[in-house]
Amino acid sequence: QVQLVESGGGLVQAGGSLRLSCAASGHTFSTYYMGWFRQAPRKEREFVAALSWVDVSTYYAGSVKGRFTISTDNTKNALYLQMDSLKPEETAVYYCASKMFDGGSLYSALDYNYWGQGTQVTVSS
């Protein structure tokens, strides 16, 4: 079992920045990837970014590349998402997730095994 707890969401003006954090605990040693997804009202959950727990490679959705940065700390018990130049259309609940196997799709929510409860990000225009 892996437990994930997100924090850092809030209200920000368009063009502003937020940094999300995800604290991981439990059997994290079996993790292959950690990722961030977001879900806006009446929309499907979409991939934002992911990081390999093996070699710390990073992967981004095209819409956030160059503005968002995913990272971890030396202990690999925390995952971060630095979000810059935020846009109103990026208002959503942001979720941290862990993928416990090296297969399937890195970009599909269906292939992630554990999820946090989510943190609300609201970007005002």
Side-chain angles (χ1 to χ4, degrees), residues 102-119:
D102 188 18
S105 172
L106 188 63
Y107 307 96
S108 171
L110 297 176
D111 284 336
Y112 284 74
N113 305 94
Y114 296 100
W115 294 84
Q117 82 288 351
T119 185

Side-chain angles (χ1 to χ4, degrees), residues 68-84:
F68 290 15
T69 303
I70 189 171
S71 63
T72 184
D73 63 7
N74 290 336
T75 69
K76 288 188 179 176
N77 287 328
L79 184 73
Y80 306 101
L81 185 69
Q82 176 67 38
M83 304 185 295
D84 298 321

Side-chain angles (χ1 to χ4, degrees), residues 28-40:
T28 59
F29 54 84
S30 299
T31 301
Y32 274 87
Y33 298 93
M34 292 285 292
W36 289 98
F37 286 76
R38 64 189 179 191
Q39 188 167 20

